[in-house]
Amino acid sequence: MDPSPTASRPPSGAVRVLVLLGIVLSAFNLRTAVTSLTPLLDLLGATFGFGSTTAGVLGMLPTAAFAVFGVGTPMLARRIGIERTALLAMLVAAAGLALRALADGVGVLMAGSIVALAGMGIGNVVLPPLVKRYFPARVGAVSTLYITVLQLGTMLPALAAVPLAEAAGWRFALGVWTFAAVAAALPWIGLLLLARRGNSGVRVDGPSTALPGVPMPRAGQAWRSPVAWGMALMFGTTSLITYSMFTWLPTLLTEAGASAAFGGTMLAVFSAFGLIGALGMPSIAVRMRNPFVVVALCAACHVVAFTGLLLAPLAAPALWVMLVGLGTGTFPLSLTLINLRSRTPSGSATLSGFMQGVGYAFSCAGPLLFGVLHGATGGWQWPFAMLYGMVIVLLVGGWMACQPRALEDGWHAQTR
């Protein structure tokens, strides 16, 4: 079962501080395995002797791992408690990051990536319901904080990857992020120790709470919800575009004549403009009954950016990258809507798992297909044609997700 604060009294101040610290540090670690790797793909390809297809597989691993572990995380959280699940996520991520830095071939590099991404996939799902449970009156503010830190954790590894590799080698550039994951585990350990003392106003093994009259989730119900499907499509297309850019933006720019360091810098700029969305999107979403206009503006940014990257990538690369970064504002919007389109922590966990599991499954072929199309045609026209098509899917999913209704409303109708 999900953990919950005790019914007799709310969590203590120390508990809230530990949970907030755990959420923030965990959020920083949710993308470090992704953006610390992609700027080094050319170097690693030369070291281990792989080409564009293997690079595409490495680019596909994040979304595939996030899909698999996103689907199973709500069940895991109900079984061992959501706080223990958060701790497990960071420990697994740390183990995978360390293993990847010790790689002596492509197989170990992939294995370490899969383990690290498994931990991060679990972390993706548990953070929104933790916000819902411990900060129900501060969903917008806490969501802004943790999504902002998540974007920082996306941007900094991309910016540092090439300089760290040049200064200390690629193993250090990949392995240094292990320490951040270990640090993120410490608040959850502290929280579990407080809970064991029994006087902190929280227990981590009790039944999950629900609002009176709102049924608890049953397996498969999310599949019948248009809210869940809309959010999965919006989130999935955003992820497909994002991870295609993470994987192929540096290569696209270097093939156009830029340096590898410039490609890494542009990847950091891409992440930085995602940070702008993280700072503003949660507060916008909580104030709008139907934020579909935001989805439409993000889609427009994508169309302009893709056209620029396709036709004149080095004419104004910073502008194109800034626009595609702004277009990914549907990512923080999706994460915020998890708690705005659910009424309970259980509903939030179910919606989070479905949205991220199905969404990442939908998007996982994006980086690989992008690379295959590029390799088959020798150009970028067909890869970007795929991304233009995804913008249409983004708009359809956004229309469904932004309608003012909750996941539990559908549960209630199904049980009558």
Side-chain angles (χ1 to χ4, degrees):
M1 291 293 184
D2 286 343
S4 64
T6 58
S8 57
R9 58 194 176 94
S12 67
V15 165
R16 291 185 183 276
V17 168
L18 281 173
V19 171
L20 184 61
L21 186 60
I23 288 172
V24 169
L25 292 178
S26 297
F28 182 85
N29 285 277
L30 294 183
R31 298 295 180 271
T32 56
V34 181
T35 57
S36 63
L37 178 69
T38 52
L40 303 178
L41 283 176
D42 287 343
L43 172 61
L44 293 170
T47 301
F48 295 127
F50 62 78
S52 61
T53 299
T54 300
V57 172
L58 286 167
M60 183 184 71
L61 285 180
T63 50
F66 293 167
V68 171
F69 292 94
V71 169
T73 297
M75 182 174 63
L76 177 65
R78 287 194 292 270
R79 199 169 187 82
I80 68 173
I82 201 163
E83 294 90 347
R84 291 191 183 97
T85 304
L87 172 60
L88 177 65
M90 292 301 101
L91 293 177
V92 171
L97 289 166
L99 177 62
R100 192 171 68 173
L102 300 174
D104 58 358
V106 177
V108 178
L109 184 69
M110 286 194 176
S113 294
I114 291 169
V115 173
L117 293 165
M120 295 174 191
I122 295 169
N124 285 336
V125 174
V126 298
L127 292 192
L130 281 164
V131 173
K132 186 83 168 180
R133 186 175 301 285
Y134 286 94
F135 305 98
R138 297 288 185 270
V139 166
V142 178
S143 295
T144 297
L145 177 60
Y146 98 76
I147 297 170
T148 300
V149 174
L150 188 157
Q151 294 292 346
L152 286 172
T154 303
M155 177 179 63
L156 293 179
L159 191 61
V162 173
L164 286 176
E166 291 175 346
W170 65 265
R171 294 185 188 277
F172 180 79
L174 292 180
V176 68
W177 307 105
T178 305
F179 299 103
V182 171
L186 299 180
W188 303 118
I189 294 173
L191 183 68
L192 294 173
L193 291 175
L194 274 180
R196 181 169 290 185
R197 288 167 51 186
N199 59 356
S200 58
V202 65
R203 66 172 184 261
V204 296
D205 57 354
S208 61
T209 56
L211 295 181
V214 178
M216 296 292 290
R218 294 197 308 270
Q221 282 189 319
W223 293 82
R224 301 165 62 183
S225 168
V227 174
W229 275 109
M231 291 187 62
L233 288 174
M234 180 170 69
F235 185 84
T237 50
T238 302
S239 299
L240 186 149
I241 292 168
T242 298
Y243 284 92
S244 295
M245 290 293 101
F246 278 155
T247 305
W248 291 106
L249 179 63
T251 301
L252 185 152
L253 294 173
T254 54
E255 286 193 6
S259 67
F262 182 79
T265 300
M266 287 298 99
L267 198 61
V269 171
F270 172 51
S271 302
F273 274 78
L275 178 62
I276 293 175
L279 287 169
M281 196 62 71
S283 60
I284 292 172
V286 298
R287 289 172 171 80
M288 296 182 71
R289 189 166 180 266
N290 185 332
F292 178 72
V293 65
V294 176
V295 179
L297 289 173
C298 290
C301 287
H302 280 317
V303 170
V304 176
F306 295 160
T307 303
L309 287 171
L310 175 61
L311 300 180
L314 295 186
L319 175 61
W320 313 141
V321 171
M322 283 187 269
L323 285 172
V324 76
L326 290 173
T328 62
T330 45
F331 172 74
L333 176 62
S334 298
L335 293 180
T336 306
L337 283 175
I338 290 171
N339 286 325
L340 297 180
R341 294 296 179 264
S342 60
R343 301 188 187 279
T344 65
S346 295
S348 176
T350 299
L351 187 55
S352 180
F354 181 85
M355 181 191 84
Q356 297 193 57
V358 174
Y360 279 126
F362 173 78
S363 67
C364 69
L368 178 60
L369 184 57
F370 197 93
V372 168
L373 289 171
H374 175 57
T377 63
W380 299 103
Q381 291 87 350
W382 281 105
F384 277 104
M386 176 192 72
L387 295 188
Y388 285 127
M390 289 302 103
V391 173
I392 297 173
V393 180
L394 172 69
L395 290 169
V396 172
W399 176 264
M400 296 169 63
C402 291
Q403 300 301 311
R405 52 192 172 186
L407 178 70
E408 290 90 341
D409 296 342
W411 290 349
H412 187 64
Q414 292 163 21
T415 57
R416 277 192 265 181

